[in-house]
Amino acid sequence: MFPVRRLFPYFLFICALVLLSGCQGQSSSTAATGSRRLAKDFQWQPLFGDGTKDVSEVIAKVGDIEITSRDLGLYFEELSPTDQNKYSGPDGRRLLLQRMVDSVLMVQGAVEKELFNDQDVARTLISQRRVTLESAMINYGLLRGNVPPEEEVREYFMNNRDHYRQAGIVQARHIECLTKEQADAAYKRLLKGGQGNDWMTVLMEYSVNKESKELEGSVGWFNQGGIIPFITGSQKFTTEAYGLPDGLNPPFLVVNRWHVVEILKRENERPMTFAEAKGSVELEMLPAWQDGILKDYLLKKRREKNVELMGEFAPGKGLSADELFSRALAVPERKIELLNLIHSDYPESQRADDALFLSASTALEYLSDARVAERYLMLLLEEYPDSELAEDSKFLMENLYNPEVLNPKSIEDLRK
């Protein structure tokens, strides 16, 4: 299961829905125009919970507000890790309940004073409602449980196999010495062999690394530049040791220690299997996959809801299509957004199909996102079937996942 991006804390999702339910139909102009609502008309309850039926024990009452044991548990879950530590244990739970009581008293006071009519308060409530519901739609309405099917993950892996390789690793053991003289002596005794010159005897006599001594000098398996916690300057050590030939090697210096290293086994770098790479492929695909879901939804809803921009923001009132096109080429980080404006504001212009095609090319070249590119190409073919770019769009559509076409390695590949 893919992790779903959470844009806002859980408590905001719950509390905002509760506190803001009374703001339905009220605009920010209400407070400004002096139109006031009475406390009895403002829907501000419940203050705790998750919207489901609660039959747990009531542990506190504040006027007509009840706090249940389940409310206390949910409230604890909303806290930061630091505050959770603060309110752990029996005493912590009692203190936390007092904090909940104080919160209820504050909210009751705000309602009695009708502070929801204050313009700043109203604006905050409206903003939090919008932000919370937008986040809910993104995370729960669209992204939750929506993952790329395995066949697409496998296809992505096959088209990018060169990116997924298992790093080479070696298994080794070492003797760590304070001076070169000690390291040389240890090395010579190991080379000589025989009684009293075996690995364990020399290790116990010369090594100053207590941790690796307990492991009989073993540093385990490591890759080039890997980290070994009990070796000072371990990344330099593994970089040096990885390149050594198998067997016993002369001493080398890392930071201020000399190491005699014996390479025991080696596994060379190799391509990953799909099973080995699957997790990495999924993580690499996830941002573009989620972005595609959001953009597809918004594109569909813009058509369904008949979005209309007016006044100075009406189509054709801003920069011309040519100006937007030039601007898009000059501002790479906003390129696709500006090209989209050409399509939405000037759908009849000669630049509209160019903008869609360039958006697809940009998605491929800079984002490596075939899904986004495919969306723009389909839009071009649907809305501009007679475009001079139609054939090129069809060709790209057919080869979006063919690296030999999109990334030729030679002029011969390109000619094919």
Side-chain angles (χ1 to χ4, degrees):
M1 177 67 69
F2 282 105
V4 174
R5 293 177 297 174
R6 296 184 177 272
L7 305 182
F8 303 94
Y10 178 74
F11 79 92
L12 181 60
F13 176 66
I14 297 300
C15 295
L17 288 179
V18 171
L19 292 176
L20 305 177
S21 59
C23 295
Q24 302 292 336
Q26 182 191 21
S27 69
S28 58
S29 62
T30 301
T33 58
S35 176
R36 300 181 63 83
R37 289 173 300 153
L38 302 176
K40 65 183 181 65
D41 298 323
F42 181 67
Q43 302 299 316
W44 54 279
Q45 297 186 52
L47 294 180
F48 306 108
D50 59 5
T52 59
K53 186 176 181 179
D54 185 356
V55 294
S56 62
E57 176 189 6
V58 175
I59 56 176
K61 284 188 176 182
V62 185
D64 59 350
I65 302 295
E66 295 181 343
I67 300 175
T68 68
S69 59
R70 187 168 186 271
D71 289 336
L72 180 64
L74 292 175
Y75 190 73
F76 179 82
E77 291 176 4
E78 296 169 7
L79 300 176
S80 67
T82 301
D83 279 349
Q84 285 186 353
N85 289 332
K86 177 181 176 182
Y87 290 108
S88 294
D91 292 340
R93 285 171 58 81
R94 181 176 291 275
L95 291 172
L96 185 61
L97 181 58
Q98 291 298 326
R99 174 171 163 172
M100 293 176 73
V101 169
D102 291 344
S103 178
V104 173
L105 292 171
M106 287 294 184
V107 173
Q108 288 174 330
V111 173
E112 290 168 3
K113 289 180 174 291
E114 298 182 353
L115 295 181
F116 46 81
N117 285 314
D118 181 273
Q119 187 173 4
D120 290 335
V121 176
R123 179 178 179 180
T124 300
L125 292 175
I126 291 168
S127 171
Q128 288 186 347
R129 175 176 59 194
R130 180 187 69 249
V131 166
T132 300
L133 292 177
E134 178 185 357
S135 174
M137 185 59 191
I138 291 172
N139 291 298
Y140 297 95
L142 294 173
L143 299 184
R144 181 166 58 180
N146 208 332
V147 299
E150 183 164 328
E151 58 267 23
E152 290 195 24
V153 177
R154 187 179 292 276
E155 183 177 34
Y156 187 94
F157 167 73
M158 295 301 295
N159 291 328
N160 297 275
R161 291 203 67 169
D162 290 345
H163 297 168
Y164 302 103
R165 300 189 63 81
Q166 176 65 54
I169 53 176
V170 298
Q171 185 184 33
R173 57 184 180 177
H174 82 137
I175 296 174
E176 184 174 320
C177 302
L178 291 175
T179 67
K180 187 175 187 304
E181 290 73 21
Q182 292 172 336
D184 285 337
Y187 176 61
K188 289 176 181 178
R189 285 180 60 178
L190 290 172
L191 284 178
K192 182 178 181 181
Q195 187 175 6
N197 294 322
D198 60 279
W199 177 268
M200 286 303 300
T201 300
V202 175
L203 170 75
M204 299 306 294
E205 190 171 331
Y206 286 95
S207 184
V208 295
N209 190 313
K210 294 180 180 179
E211 288 88 347
S212 64
K213 256 187 178 181
E214 294 178 357
L215 300 172
E216 299 181 354
S218 174
V219 292
W221 288 90
F222 57 87
N223 61 355
Q224 190 170 23
I227 295 175
I228 301 173
F230 50 81
I231 291 183
T232 302
S234 64
Q235 287 184 295
K236 184 177 180 181
F237 171 87
T238 56
T239 299
E240 181 81 18
Y242 181 85
L244 297 175
D246 294 355
L248 188 66
N249 290 272
F252 62 89
L253 179 66
V254 175
V255 189
N256 59 350
R257 300 293 174 92
W258 288 86
H259 297 266
V260 178
V261 173
E262 183 178 8
I263 304 298
L264 303 174
K265 294 181 182 178
R266 182 183 303 273
E267 292 185 7
N268 294 323
E269 179 181 333
R270 60 173 175 79
M272 285 184 174
T273 64
F274 175 69
E276 292 171 331
K278 185 179 178 183
S280 298
V281 176
E282 289 174 340
L283 287 176
E284 189 170 320
M285 289 182 69
L286 182 60
W289 175 264
Q290 291 184 333
D291 185 64
I293 290 172
L294 301 183
K295 283 185 167 60
D296 285 344
Y297 174 80
L298 291 173
L299 183 62
K300 177 183 176 183
K301 288 302 177 182
R302 279 179 178 273
R303 291 172 173 175
E304 289 181 2
K305 300 296 183 181
N306 191 28
V307 176
E308 184 179 0
L309 303 180
M310 293 167 280
E312 65 176 300
F313 302 103
K317 294 290 186 180
L319 296 176
S320 69
D322 286 336
E323 289 171 331
L324 283 171
F325 198 84
S326 298
R327 179 76 173 151
L329 297 178
V331 188
E333 65 273 15
R334 296 178 58 198
K335 192 172 186 178
I336 291 182
E337 293 178 64
L338 292 168
L339 291 170
N340 283 338
L341 277 181
I342 297 174
H343 171 248
S344 61
D345 286 10
Y346 301 96
E348 304 300 325
S349 76
Q350 294 182 347
R351 287 294 193 186
D353 56 339
D354 296 340
L356 291 173
F357 190 82
L358 189 54
S359 293
S361 301
T362 302
L364 282 175
E365 184 176 358
Y366 294 103
L367 306 180
S368 299
D369 193 340
R371 180 183 171 89
V372 172
E374 186 175 21
R375 182 186 315 111
Y376 288 119
L377 293 173
M378 288 178 63
L379 200 58
L380 189 156
L381 292 172
E382 287 174 8
E383 298 189 8
Y384 307 99
D386 298 325
S387 167
E388 294 179 354
L389 297 169
E391 287 302 316
D392 290 337
S393 298
K394 291 176 184 177
F395 176 79
L396 269 181
M397 286 270 290
E398 293 168 358
N399 293 280
L400 279 175
Y401 300 97
N402 187 343
E404 292 183 2
V405 173
L406 298 180
N407 300 295
K409 296 180 179 179
S410 66
I411 191 64
E412 287 75 19
D413 290 343
L414 188 59
R415 284 169 178 160
K416 292 178 184 178

